[in-house]
Amino acid sequence: MSTRPIGDYALLSDCRSAALVSTAGSVDWLCLPRFDSPAVFARLLDEEAGHWTIRPCEPSEVSRRYVPETLALETTFHTSSGTVVLLDALAMGHRERGHALGASSPGVLLRQITCTSGSVTVETSFAPRPEFGLVHPVMSLVRGGLSAYGGAQRLVLSAPLPLRTEGATAHGETVLRAGQRIGFALSSLPAWGEAKPESWRGGRIHRRLNDTIKGWRSWTGIHQGYQGRWRDEVAHSGRVLQALTFTPTGAIVAAATTSLPESIGADRNWDYRYTWVRDASFTLQALSTSACDKEKAAYFGFLAQAAATQLERGIDLQVMYGIGGERDLSERTLPHLSGWRGSTPVRTGNDAWRQHQLDVYGELLDAAHQTHPRTEWFDQPTRNFLLQAAETAARRWNEPDQGIWEVRGPSRHFLYSKLMCWVALDRAIDLAPALGATERVTAWRQTRQTIRTAIETEGWNPRLGAFTQAFGSSELDASALMLPLVGFLPGDDPRIRATVSAVADQLSDTRGQVRRYLQDDFVSDEGAFLLCTFWLAHALALIGEVQRARTVFETALTCANDVGLLAEEISPTSGEALGNYPQAFSHIGLINAARAIHHAEQAGQSR
């Protein structure tokens, strides 16, 4: 089984697919040609499921960074005889710049290692295992590298050094002296197509790496909307969101991986390589902070198109979609994989797409509210779709569901679901002129008030002195922090202040990180949820406790790894990263909390 810490990995992306690279110079995760494709390298989930390593033969001290304003990774190895620098990137399309980033990515992993001092013997080990390790390809040496075939893919490795093959693994080594560099490229072709592999010689690899760096910098250059405290962290999180974007459709995956566990050895191992409607409003707020108006429009357009016609056919709006708009995301297990630290089952697909979750209507209408000018009408299909979403929320808000955390147990009357139905009607009322639905405003206002009354009476627990997880519940849930974040109640409302204090006091662990809740249908010691820690910082800013908000925010920042990536959760015992990675929700929470704290600081200075 794989045991390397999740936080040891850095992300590469071409805005279509993703790779994870360890500090040992090993690519232990790569899906081609899409984020949700079967993995070519999956040592992240099983030691025998494939990797591609480039590193010095002798022991070394390692440091790494992203090339400034990019997601091209530099890993520096200091050995007793010299120093080499490994530069890794997934290639962008030739001369792609700005908003076009990822539009024509070729699906090629580029790796270049340069000796900067002394002399160093470097080695490479290439062990592709397509289809999550099921395929051990046949390897044949060809001019300039090797070809590996088996299953649905043909892999072509361009390599500038002699290789020797042992079964389905290739090895090679060479000596580099100061000033020398060599480049590698890995491309994938359909096994049965007529396309012929391209040659990637060293000069071409060097040029395309530089071109990819320029592409990332051009994107960063036009996404500098936030100028407050933690500017660098916000900018980097914006790049991570772009890296998790599937450019052809505008969809954003929740994470680059599947089945990294929420609790080591337990069975909460899900596939996050899809797009959740729930993430929409949070994501759009983050994109607004990063000045990504074009990406906002593309993301909302994807959601509207993916969900088209479901509501008019009387079908529940799905909570999630494939990155190409796919609806059937049926879950299956991969029993041949041992899982990260023995955490099984390993799953692909996610059966949460079948769940009944009412919050999606609010998140969808809030997303529309953030993206659409009030003075312009929606096009007819989108108008019909949003009207149906508002009417569905008005009609069904009082039904039980699975809630924001997708509980795989009995349906309940979760407070967050009711809150987001309130949001759906609140935003629909404001959008009514653009929806051509002003005649519906009176009825929507009445239902909005009914929902408000229900939340304030049934969602408030006077004994606990806080809003709770579900109607009639005595359990706290960090999602109650969303009450002020969506504008349901102001930050100075005593009930909000009490709820924020209760969450901070009772759901925070010894490291100051916030759990989602304390009870669960699964028997597991779940870690703290980083998004919830950022929610707490955000809520503290809204209630005027700005210094405390900064402290909580900084506590969450300590969970980032050496290249600024955040996981989904943090272990309550070891403090290490857990869950699928890197997690869009965590980076979204960072951006939104930073903005809220910045605004609170400015408001305090103006008084």
Side-chain angles (χ1 to χ4, degrees):
M1 65 183 178
S2 175
T3 59
R4 184 174 291 273
I6 293 169
D8 189 68
Y9 289 96
L11 172 73
L12 308 178
S13 170
D14 60 3
C15 301
R16 288 172 176 253
S17 58
L20 294 179
V21 188
S22 75
T23 55
S26 182
V27 179
D28 289 348
W29 182 258
L30 174 64
C31 297
L32 290 174
R34 299 185 359 164
F35 292 106
D36 57 354
S37 297
V40 173
F41 306 119
R43 184 156 70 173
L44 186 66
L45 297 175
D46 190 294
E47 194 65 31
E48 303 302 318
H51 70 278
W52 178 19
T53 303
I54 300 175
R55 64 185 179 190
C57 290
E58 61 183 296
S60 59
E61 294 182 1
V62 181
S63 62
R64 62 181 179 176
R65 64 164 192 163
Y66 283 117
V67 176
E69 301 183 335
T70 81
L71 284 186
L73 180 69
E74 279 186 351
T75 304
T76 301
F77 299 92
H78 300 279
T79 74
S80 60
S81 61
T83 299
V84 289
V85 179
L86 177 63
L87 178 62
D88 290 325
L90 278 164
M92 296 297 180
H94 182 51
R95 294 187 178 178
E96 280 183 347
R97 300 291 184 265
H99 293 300
L101 205 65
S104 58
S105 301
V108 177
L109 175 57
L110 304 176
R111 314 193 74 185
Q112 176 182 277
I113 189 163
T114 304
C115 184
T116 58
S117 68
S119 66
V120 179
T121 302
V122 298
E123 63 179 354
T124 186
S125 173
F126 179 67
R129 300 292 184 265
E131 295 188 44
F132 295 102
L134 285 177
V135 176
H136 286 223
V138 176
M139 290 189 171
S140 59
L141 297 176
V142 297
R143 185 176 181 180
L146 64 78
S147 174
Y149 60 91
Q153 284 179 297
R154 179 184 178 188
L155 300 170
V156 179
L157 174 66
S158 297
L161 74 173
L163 296 172
R164 62 187 185 279
T165 60
E166 299 173 7
T169 301
H171 302 276
E173 60 185 52
T174 190
V175 176
L176 292 180
R177 294 176 174 81
Q180 292 182 325
R181 69 169 183 249
I182 54 175
F184 301 77
L186 175 64
S187 56
S188 171
L189 298 169
W192 315 111
E194 296 181 358
K196 295 183 178 180
E198 294 185 79
S199 173
W200 287 79
R201 297 184 182 275
R204 185 185 184 195
I205 292 168
H206 182 68
R207 290 191 298 272
R208 287 302 288 273
L209 280 167
N210 288 337
D211 187 63
T212 295
I213 288 170
K214 290 178 181 178
W216 274 111
R217 285 178 168 163
S218 73
W219 187 92
T220 298
I222 59 175
H223 296 85
Q224 298 286 347
Y226 179 76
Q227 300 298 323
R229 190 189 296 263
W230 307 296
R231 179 176 179 269
D232 290 343
E233 289 84 354
V234 167
H236 182 58
S237 289
R239 281 191 293 275
V240 173
L241 291 184
Q242 176 63 17
L244 296 175
T245 298
F246 185 63
T247 294
T249 64
I252 300 177
V253 296
T257 59
T258 180
S259 299
L260 292 180
E262 297 172 6
S263 180
I264 298 173
D267 58 358
R268 300 193 67 158
N269 318 314
W270 316 117
D271 194 345
Y272 273 22
R273 299 172 299 155
Y274 307 110
T275 291
W276 270 255
V277 177
R278 167 180 310 116
D279 299 2
S281 58
F282 307 132
T283 302
L284 290 167
Q285 291 168 19
L287 292 176
S288 293
T289 302
S290 298
C292 304
D293 288 341
K294 188 174 181 67
E295 285 84 354
K296 284 171 58 180
Y299 183 51
F300 179 73
F302 164 78
L303 292 175
Q305 183 168 327
T309 76
Q310 283 192 299
L311 293 176
E312 68 183 36
R313 293 163 53 216
I315 300 173
D316 279 355
L317 180 65
Q318 282 187 206
V319 303
M320 57 190 293
Y321 297 91
I323 57 177
E326 299 86 357
R327 296 182 181 179
D328 186 345
L329 307 177
S330 295
E331 192 174 288
R332 65 188 180 94
T333 61
L334 303 178
H336 65 285
L337 296 178
S338 60
W340 183 80
R341 295 195 184 171
S343 301
T344 57
V346 173
R347 295 179 170 98
T348 62
N350 194 314
D351 277 345
W353 75 275
R354 306 176 191 272
Q355 287 192 350
H356 174 49
Q357 295 177 32
L358 293 167
D359 58 287
V360 292
Y361 302 105
E363 286 131 5
L364 183 70
L365 278 151
D366 191 53
H369 188 260
Q370 292 183 54
T371 56
H372 195 77
R374 305 297 181 272
T375 57
E376 297 180 14
W377 275 45
F378 288 96
D379 61 77
Q380 188 65 50
T382 303
R383 186 159 67 247
N384 291 343
F385 174 54
L386 293 174
L387 281 170
Q388 291 159 2
E391 295 293 354
T392 302
R395 186 176 66 254
R396 303 183 63 181
W397 71 269
N398 59 350
E399 297 178 4
D401 71 344
Q402 263 67 47
I404 180 175
W405 308 127
E406 298 176 354
V407 175
R408 297 198 178 190
S411 297
R412 299 173 64 191
H413 289 281
F414 288 101
L415 180 140
Y416 179 82
S417 298
K418 313 304 182 188
L419 172 65
M420 294 313 293
C421 286
W422 179 91
V423 169
L425 296 176
D426 183 73
R427 304 322 189 241
I429 290 166
D430 199 40
L431 288 171
L435 292 169
T438 53
E439 77 285 353
R440 296 295 303 146
V441 168
T442 299
W444 286 343
R445 282 176 175 157
Q446 291 173 348
T447 305
R448 181 182 65 175
Q449 182 57 44
T450 301
I451 300 172
R452 173 180 288 279
T453 300
I455 290 174
E456 292 184 339
T457 55
E458 299 181 62
W460 172 260
N461 185 315
R463 183 185 60 80
L464 196 63
F467 286 101
T468 56
Q469 184 180 68
F471 284 3
S473 170
S474 59
E475 301 165 14
L476 280 177
D477 192 302
S479 63
L481 295 170
M482 289 301 298
L483 287 161
L485 271 61
V486 300
F488 180 82
L489 286 171
D492 59 3
D493 187 290
R495 294 166 295 178
I496 292 299
R497 297 184 67 86
T499 299
V500 173
S501 294
V503 169
D505 293 342
Q506 298 180 44
L507 293 186
S508 296
D509 64 18
T510 56
R511 291 180 170 82
Q513 307 297 339
V514 180
R515 299 172 184 264
R516 295 185 289 184
Y517 40 68
L518 293 180
Q519 298 184 10
D520 195 9
D521 295 325
F522 287 79
V523 179
S524 66
D525 189 15
E526 184 186 72
F529 208 76
L530 273 175
L531 173 65
C532 297
T533 308
F534 285 118
W535 277 353
L536 177 59
H538 194 153
L540 286 166
L542 293 181
I543 69 173
E545 296 191 25
V546 182
Q547 181 56 53
R548 191 176 176 193
R550 286 196 292 262
T551 300
V552 171
F553 187 93
E554 294 282 1
T555 297
L557 282 186
T558 64
C559 298
N561 73 350
D562 59 316
V563 289
L565 298 180
L566 294 166
E568 181 182 27
E569 300 189 13
I570 299 298
S571 168
T573 53
S574 67
E576 67 176 324
L578 293 175
N580 284 302
Y581 174 86
Q583 178 73 206
F585 239 174
S586 298
H587 287 278
I588 289 165
L590 182 157
I591 294 171
N592 292 337
R595 183 195 67 243
I597 296 170
H598 177 60
H599 287 172
E601 290 173 335
Q602 288 184 315
Q605 293 169 0
S606 66
R607 285 198 290 267

